[in-house]
């Protein structure tokens, strides 16, 4: 190791308030990992590890791996140009494999999913922040399968149509909120999608503003944004730091984790126990996923009752937390794109006018007749992928050999979905918003790579709530464009301000807050917006 780098590492550790504990923990890591490496199955064919930046002894690529705030998906995309579409690095003995092409992702995460469906140990998220209720973070095994089965029973492709009335109602209310306070559209987007999932999961109607259910989801997800990428907190690399008391200097991560743990406790328990209490007192409640799960719980005397009730709470909480956020980013990107690309907006509106007309709002029966609208949805998902590095990292359960390389067991594997959906050989001018790329002769072209291939994860870990999310996205895009024009903001002289596609990086990617003008397309459109809300209220 060069002396200047050694000095830098030493200085950083010695300056850290926990340097003595870090030194001890690092020694523990090196000894344990060294013994484990010698005892595990070796590389029988003496294959090389996949290519990647050369690291240093002991620390590996500690200073190469980008931090979550530095758009790691962009950094990795640049690495692919140098090392190829599969990059291997090590950080403090933990191996990490980053996949940069759809072929690599399919080969490992889909075709070999039996070996690549586990999760790495994530002490910050699972053991400190109380995210164990979310099956996305659970290790691969029977407990995960039970959660997945319970969730899928209520959100698979052939059942989500029963939630159409809830989606239609909430999106019509969303259109009216845009009419009353269009400048607050970012909040209205989040409120609408949160209202849908609260209605579906619990049958609860959220408040117009400052609803505690929505704010809890936002706070919990902020924790994932900070801690969701491996290595964001040192405790994920050195689990011995779990035993540092919260009062110890430098243990700020413990205080953060305690705050988020309390938020997650509210996410898991408050709405579920509210419905449980209403049913206990024979009060009328709206049918929901929660009421269904409660009705199928075994008798309290059954030994499985406690576990089944816990899974029921976890299932609705996962729906609540997932549906409250991931689609939000795509809808915000859609609004930004419409303000930046007026031709795409006009084309979509022309199709809506021809198919739906101006005297009603589009519904789900119109979808097959709206190829351009479906292309807008696909391009909104591709243009800014909500989870650029995938939903969560996978982990190799056993040693593997692939394409002439050796992949050690315990290797954390992530697919850079951003690279997959911005591949210039697949998508011409990938940074531009072009719905037309999905069309051929006025119809959707099935030969064009769909963003679904990377947007919802891979293999056995693919996101099971994607069908509900897709329906919400379709109804928002089609409904908004049928009655509104979305335009760029104006400067003090009345001239349009050119918007830029700026997105905040990290585990979740959002458009940087922006302004736009949202105006009814006509007096007929405005009347339609008002009439639909009055109709829902009277009904």
């Amino acid at each position: 190791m060069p002396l200047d780098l050694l000095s830098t590492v030493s200085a950083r550790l010695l300056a850290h308030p926990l340097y003595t504990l870090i030194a001890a923990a690092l020694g523990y890591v090196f000894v344990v990992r060294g013994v484990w490496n010698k005892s595990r199955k070796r590389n029988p064919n003496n294959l090389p590890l996949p290519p990647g930046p050369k690291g240093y002894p002991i620390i590996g690529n500690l200073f190469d791996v980008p931090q979550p705030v530095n758009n790691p998906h962009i950094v990795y995309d640049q690495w692919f140009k140098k090392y190829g579409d599969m990059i291997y690095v090590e950080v403090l003995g933990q191996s990490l494999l980053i996949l940069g092409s759809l072929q690599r992702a399919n080969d490992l995460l889909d075709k070999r999913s039996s070996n690549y469906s586990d999760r790495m140990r994530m002490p910050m998220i699972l053991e400190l922040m109380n995210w164990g209720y979310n099956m996305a973070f659970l290790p691969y095994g029977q407990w995960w399968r039970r959660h997945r089965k319970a969730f899928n029973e209520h959100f698979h492709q052939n059942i989500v149509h029963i939630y159409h009335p809830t989606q239609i109602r909430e999106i019509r209310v969303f259109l009216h909120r845009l009419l009353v306070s269009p400048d607050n559209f970012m909040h209205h987007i989040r409120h609408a999608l949160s209202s849908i999932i609260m209605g579906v999961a619990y049958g609860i109607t959220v408040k117009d503003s400052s609803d505690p259910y929505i704010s809890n989801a936002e706070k919990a997800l902020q924790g994932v944004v900070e801690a969701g990428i491996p290595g964001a907190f040192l405790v994920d690399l050195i689990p011995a730091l779990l035993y540092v008391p919260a009062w110890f200097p430098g243990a700020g991560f413990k205080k953060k984790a305690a705050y988020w743990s309390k938020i997650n406790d509210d996410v898991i328990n408050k709405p579920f126990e509210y419905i449980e209490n209403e049913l206990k007192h024979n009060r009328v409640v709206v049918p929901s996923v929660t009421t269904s799960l409660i009705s199928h719980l075994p008798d309290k005397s059954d030994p499985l009752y406690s576990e089944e009730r816990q899974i029921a709470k976890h299932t609705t909480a996962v729906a609540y937390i997932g549906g409250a956020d991931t689609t939000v980013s795509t809808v915000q990107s859609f609004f930004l794109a419409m303000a930046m690309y007026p031709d795409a907006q006009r084309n979509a509106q022309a199709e809506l006018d021809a198919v739906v007309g101006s005297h009603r709002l589009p519904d789900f029966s119109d979808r097959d007749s709206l190829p351009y609208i479906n292309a807008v949805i696909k391009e909104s998902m591709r243009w800014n992928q909500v989870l650029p590095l995938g939903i969560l990292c996978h982990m190799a359960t056993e040693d593997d050999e692939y394409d002439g390389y050796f992949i050690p067991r315990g290797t954390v594997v992530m697919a850079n979905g951003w690279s997959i959906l911005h591949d210039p050989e697949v998508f011409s001018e990938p940074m531009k918003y072009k719905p037309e790329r999905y069309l051929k002769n006025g119809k959707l072209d099935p030969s064009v790579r769909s963003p679904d291939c990377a947007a919802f994860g891979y293999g056995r870990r693919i996101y099971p709530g994607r069908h509900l999310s897709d329906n919400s996205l379709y109804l928002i895009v089609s409904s908004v464009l049928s009655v509104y024009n979305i335009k760029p903001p104006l400067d003090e002289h009345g001239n349009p301000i050119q918007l830029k596609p700026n997105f905040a990086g990290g585990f979740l990617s959002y458009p940087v807050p922006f302004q736009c003008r949202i105006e009814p397309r006509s007096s007929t459109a405005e009347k339609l917006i008002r009439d639909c809300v009055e109709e829902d209220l009277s009904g």
Side-chain angles (χ1 to χ4, degrees):
M1 183 187 299
L3 287 177
D4 56 345
L5 181 59
L6 180 61
S7 299
T8 301
V9 175
S10 301
R12 289 190 180 186
L13 291 179
L14 289 172
H16 200 286
L18 296 174
Y19 74 91
T20 53
L21 183 59
I22 290 174
L26 283 173
Y28 165 83
V29 168
F30 300 145
V31 170
V32 170
R33 286 193 183 276
V35 171
W36 180 74
N37 283 336
K38 290 180 180 179
S39 65
R40 71 179 184 178
K41 176 184 175 183
R42 300 309 304 165
N43 180 355
N45 295 319
N46 199 30
L47 296 176
L49 295 168
K54 184 177 177 58
Y56 294 95
I58 301 178
I59 65 169
N61 301 98
L62 178 63
F63 297 128
D64 295 319
V65 174
Q67 292 298 304
V69 295
N70 295 329
N71 292 312
H73 56 284
I74 302 296
V75 176
Y76 293 141
D77 189 69
Q78 295 168 351
W79 286 9
F80 296 139
K81 295 176 175 61
K82 181 177 181 181
Y83 300 105
D85 62 355
M86 188 166 64
I87 299 169
Y88 180 90
V89 295
E90 287 190 3
V91 179
L92 297 177
Q94 173 62 60
S95 52
L96 174 65
L97 184 66
I98 308 120
L99 310 176
S101 70
L102 185 58
Q103 179 183 340
R104 299 295 194 191
N106 285 339
D107 285 350
L108 295 182
L109 306 183
D110 282 334
K111 296 177 182 178
R112 303 189 187 188
S113 60
S114 61
N115 190 46
Y116 291 95
S117 294
D118 209 353
R119 298 293 196 214
M120 70 176 291
R121 183 184 177 189
M122 303 178 74
M124 183 66 177
I125 281 182
L126 282 178
E127 296 166 60
L128 294 178
M129 291 171 59
N130 193 23
W131 273 95
Y133 69 92
N134 193 325
M135 62 187 174
F137 296 101
L138 292 177
Y140 187 66
Q142 188 60 33
W143 188 239
W144 171 81
R145 291 188 186 95
R146 290 173 66 183
H147 281 75
R148 173 84 176 200
K149 182 177 182 292
F151 190 96
N152 194 56
E153 285 177 355
H154 293 87
F155 293 98
H156 62 79
Q157 189 172 10
N158 295 325
I159 201 173
V160 290
H161 67 275
I162 68 175
Y163 309 127
H164 284 176
T166 299
Q167 292 171 306
I168 290 172
R169 181 184 68 248
E170 294 300 338
I171 289 171
R172 287 179 175 181
V173 174
F174 166 66
L175 295 178
H176 189 261
R177 288 195 178 102
L178 290 177
L179 187 65
V180 174
S181 53
D183 291 342
N184 206 19
F185 72 98
M186 297 285 266
H187 169 76
H188 296 329
I189 292 169
R190 185 175 296 278
H191 188 281
L193 291 165
S194 297
S195 297
I196 288 171
I197 198 58
M198 286 301 296
V200 168
Y202 300 103
I204 293 174
T205 301
V206 299
K207 299 176 182 178
D208 281 346
S209 61
S210 302
D211 186 275
Y213 294 126
I214 296 178
S215 61
N216 279 342
E218 291 176 350
K219 292 172 185 175
L221 285 159
Q222 184 55 44
V224 174
V225 171
E226 290 198 33
I229 294 179
F233 285 89
L234 195 59
V235 68
D236 286 332
L237 300 174
I238 310 175
L241 296 178
L242 281 169
Y243 306 106
V244 177
W247 53 263
F248 201 83
F253 70 93
K254 278 287 190 77
K255 295 176 183 177
K256 285 186 175 184
Y259 168 76
W260 284 319
S261 178
K262 176 59 172 65
I263 294 296
N264 274 321
D265 188 66
D266 290 343
V267 167
I268 299 166
N269 295 308
K270 281 193 171 180
F272 187 92
E273 291 176 356
Y274 168 77
I275 297 300
E276 209 172 35
N277 187 63
E278 293 295 286
L279 291 171
K280 179 181 178 181
H281 291 89
N282 297 316
R283 300 189 184 108
V284 177
V285 296
V286 177
S288 65
V289 174
T290 298
T291 58
S292 175
L293 287 166
I294 291 175
S295 70
H296 289 90
L297 287 177
D299 189 83
K300 290 185 179 181
S301 60
D302 192 308
L304 291 177
Y305 171 78
S306 179
E307 281 190 1
E308 291 298 321
R309 180 175 178 270
Q310 186 179 13
I311 291 174
K313 287 201 296 184
H314 291 181
T315 298
T316 50
V318 169
Y320 161 32
I321 206 75
D325 200 75
T326 51
T327 312
V328 171
S329 174
T330 301
V331 175
Q332 291 176 349
S333 296
F334 155 72
F335 272 74
L336 176 61
M338 293 301 98
M340 291 181 60
Y341 295 89
D343 288 344
Q345 183 172 190
R346 282 191 290 268
N347 291 338
Q349 289 172 333
E351 181 179 75
L352 284 163
D353 292 344
V355 173
V356 179
S358 59
H359 297 288
R360 69 175 179 90
L361 289 169
D363 58 32
F364 289 101
S365 66
D366 298 310
R367 185 164 189 176
D368 290 343
S369 302
L370 298 170
Y372 197 91
I373 290 294
N374 284 289
V376 166
I377 293 167
K378 288 177 180 291
E379 185 68 345
S380 297
M381 294 172 63
R382 184 205 68 82
W383 191 47
N384 175 47
Q385 189 177 349
V386 180
L387 294 154
L389 291 174
I391 292 179
L392 275 175
C393 300
H394 297 236
M395 188 177 75
T397 306
E398 299 293 341
D399 292 337
D400 196 13
E401 295 180 1
Y402 171 65
D403 198 20
Y405 295 107
F406 177 69
I407 302 173
R409 71 178 181 182
T411 296
V412 172
V413 183
M414 65 172 71
N416 191 342
W418 190 92
S419 295
I420 292 171
L421 297 181
H422 288 79
D423 184 346
E425 295 184 6
V426 178
F427 300 102
S428 63
E429 300 180 293
M431 302 307 294
K432 289 188 177 181
Y433 187 92
K434 297 167 59 177
E436 292 77 13
R437 68 174 84 246
Y438 293 100
L439 300 171
K440 184 177 182 180
N441 299 324
K443 298 180 180 180
L444 286 174
D445 184 355
S447 69
V448 179
R449 178 178 294 176
S450 172
D452 291 359
C453 71
F456 297 111
Y458 309 87
R460 301 178 187 183
R461 288 287 189 166
I462 193 168
Y463 175 52
R466 62 193 182 279
H467 306 299
L468 181 71
S469 174
D470 178 67
N471 285 346
S472 293
L473 188 55
Y474 158 73
L475 201 60
I476 287 180
V477 168
S478 59
S479 298
V480 167
L481 290 180
S482 68
V483 293
Y484 284 111
N485 289 319
I486 303 173
K487 303 176 181 179
L490 302 176
D491 63 20
E492 63 272 18
H493 303 294
N495 299 316
I497 298 173
Q498 185 174 358
L499 294 172
K500 297 180 180 180
N502 294 325
F503 303 100
F507 179 69
L508 292 167
S509 178
Y510 286 94
V512 172
F514 64 96
Q515 295 180 330
C516 63
R517 289 177 293 148
I518 303 170
E519 302 170 352
R521 294 180 62 193
S522 66
S523 58
T524 301
E526 182 173 343
K527 184 177 185 301
L528 182 61
I529 296 165
R530 296 184 186 278
D531 289 347
C532 285
V533 172
E534 291 173 3
E535 180 182 316
D536 284 341
L537 291 175
S538 63

